[in-house]
Amino acid sequence: MSQRTAAAPDAGPASRPYPDRYASLTVEDRRTFAERGYLLVRGALDEPLRRRVEQAVDRVYAGEERAGRLGASGAMHVLGGVFRDEAFTELLDLPTTFPFVWGQLGWNIYVHHSHLDVNPPVAADEPPAWQWHQDGYRQNADLDMEPRPMFSLKVAYVLSDLSEPGRGGTLVVPGSQRRNTLERTEPRPDGRYPRPPGTVEITAQPGDAFVFDRRLWHSRSANLSDVTRKMVFLCYTYRWIRWRDDVSINRHGDWWRGLSPLRRQLLGDGDEAASHFGFTLESGVWDDAIPLRSELKSRGLLDRSHHYLR
């Protein structure tokens, strides 16, 4: 794990995928994520899996198109995306990226928000707008502290060739997760907003992924190329935080019963309310039956030096 794959100058730091879903985060990756608020993972999806996931996105897109729910430019932004096709469940605990998730958040987690994005090319004269934001909605208004807690992080899977700027790549300001506000730039005479100082556009190859702190100030950029941008986003948070998406789970169906205990946890499963807080009412101590905690404990990966892994 000591070698690193070089990233394009504007793509930011890059890490090799982890070989096992229970691999421990390297000191370098932990430090880079803490300093910059994101990390690019080269080759997170092998080509067969990338193709399966893209085909699933295309199926959802076709259904949304038939239902007349696409945007004016043919764009799609579907919430609760992980439930829309069985192919997406392969991403929940993907070995190449999952260590970035539990290594930063711990074992009491699930995916409370996911979305599928398809962004065809748009006209250069698209109405200007300020789109910079932190994720979290009321988490950014209800908490009076600086900086606010991370609470969640996202894994973004890149299905299209976004290796060049101008293809709708995600814009970020590295290190901005440590401040609660981002000063809005003054619009130019044409009404368009210059990018904030220090902005980086994450350029990525098909199959790459990037992980980012929800507090990182970010924005989607306009896709002015001839490539359609396709991405899948999974947002992991603590099990004591409510769902962001409206979802309905059939816990008696073949699909649910065929999932591993870990994947059911990551899709919001829990036997009792206390379980979502990580303990049992009967014992009043940590619930070792929670699948991810059980796995980490059996492998000696609980680590009191990181409070979320104790």
Side-chain angles (χ1 to χ4, degrees):
M1 294 298 300
S2 60
Q3 294 180 338
R4 288 288 180 260
T5 302
D10 57 352
S15 172
R16 289 187 182 276
Y18 281 84
D20 181 88
R21 63 176 51 83
Y22 299 113
S24 296
L25 273 183
T26 66
V27 172
E28 181 180 351
D29 282 344
R30 193 179 295 280
R31 181 176 60 248
T32 299
F33 187 83
E35 291 175 352
R36 299 180 65 92
Y38 77 101
L39 194 62
L40 181 65
V41 185
R42 295 291 191 187
L45 304 175
D46 61 28
E47 181 54 22
L49 178 55
R50 188 209 65 81
R51 189 162 49 248
R52 287 198 301 277
V53 173
E54 182 177 27
Q55 289 168 349
V57 169
D58 290 344
R59 287 193 291 270
V60 175
Y61 186 89
E64 294 296 295
E65 186 174 34
R66 288 192 297 270
R69 290 193 289 259
L70 298 181
S73 64
M76 180 183 80
H77 179 65
V78 167
L79 303 184
V82 73
F83 292 97
R84 296 295 295 268
D85 195 287
E86 292 183 16
F88 301 128
T89 60
E90 296 187 65
L91 304 178
L92 290 168
D93 56 348
L94 192 68
T96 57
T97 56
F98 194 53
F100 293 100
V101 179
W102 69 260
Q104 296 289 350
L105 293 177
W107 47 265
N108 196 38
I109 58 174
Y110 80 119
V111 175
H112 82 135
H113 174 43
S114 59
H115 53 94
L116 315 177
D117 287 9
V118 175
N119 300 100
V122 298
D125 58 356
E126 188 180 43
W130 177 264
Q131 298 181 328
W132 288 87
H133 65 284
Q134 293 175 307
D135 290 341
Y137 299 90
R138 289 300 302 184
Q139 290 175 346
N140 298 318
D142 292 345
L143 299 177
D144 186 17
M145 60 182 67
E146 176 104 19
R148 303 179 187 99
M150 178 168 64
F151 277 143
S152 64
L153 58 78
K154 271 183 176 176
V155 183
Y157 292 97
V158 178
L159 306 178
S160 308
D161 185 354
L162 305 183
S163 59
E164 297 180 10
R167 296 183 175 180
T170 301
L171 307 176
V172 300
V173 178
S176 61
Q177 77 278 7
R178 294 189 293 272
R179 60 182 190 263
N180 289 353
T181 59
L182 181 68
E183 186 174 352
R184 183 174 296 206
T185 56
E186 292 295 325
R188 298 189 297 254
D190 62 2
R192 300 186 183 281
Y193 294 92
R195 295 177 177 180
T199 294
V200 168
E201 180 171 351
I202 299 179
T203 54
Q205 299 284 347
D208 289 347
F210 57 93
V211 185
F212 65 99
D213 185 324
R214 70 147 193 104
R215 302 169 298 174
L216 185 70
W217 287 91
H218 62 283
S219 172
R220 187 178 64 81
S221 61
N223 181 5
L224 304 177
S225 71
D226 58 0
V227 175
T228 295
R229 172 186 183 261
K230 300 179 184 179
M231 297 190 66
V232 176
F233 292 80
L234 302 186
C235 185
Y236 297 78
T237 193
Y238 299 107
R239 296 168 68 232
W240 41 266
I241 291 177
R242 292 172 63 92
W243 282 98
R244 162 62 182 84
D245 303 334
D246 290 321
V247 300
S248 178
I249 302 173
N250 176 11
R251 289 178 167 82
H252 304 290
D254 292 340
W255 171 70
W256 181 263
R257 291 200 303 266
L259 295 173
S260 68
L262 174 58
R263 288 183 177 179
R264 288 198 295 268
Q265 173 190 329
L266 297 177
L267 290 174
D269 202 22
D271 293 333
E272 58 182 29
S275 171
H276 293 88
F277 289 80
F279 70 98
T280 68
L281 285 177
E282 181 179 357
S283 68
V285 298
W286 302 130
D287 184 357
D288 285 334
I290 295 173
L292 184 51
R293 176 177 172 81
S294 176
E295 285 287 352
L296 296 179
K297 184 176 182 178
S298 70
R299 297 164 186 267
L301 293 173
L302 297 181
D303 182 357
R304 295 186 67 86
S305 67
H306 299 292
H307 62 89
Y308 45 83
L309 286 173
R310 61 186 179 176

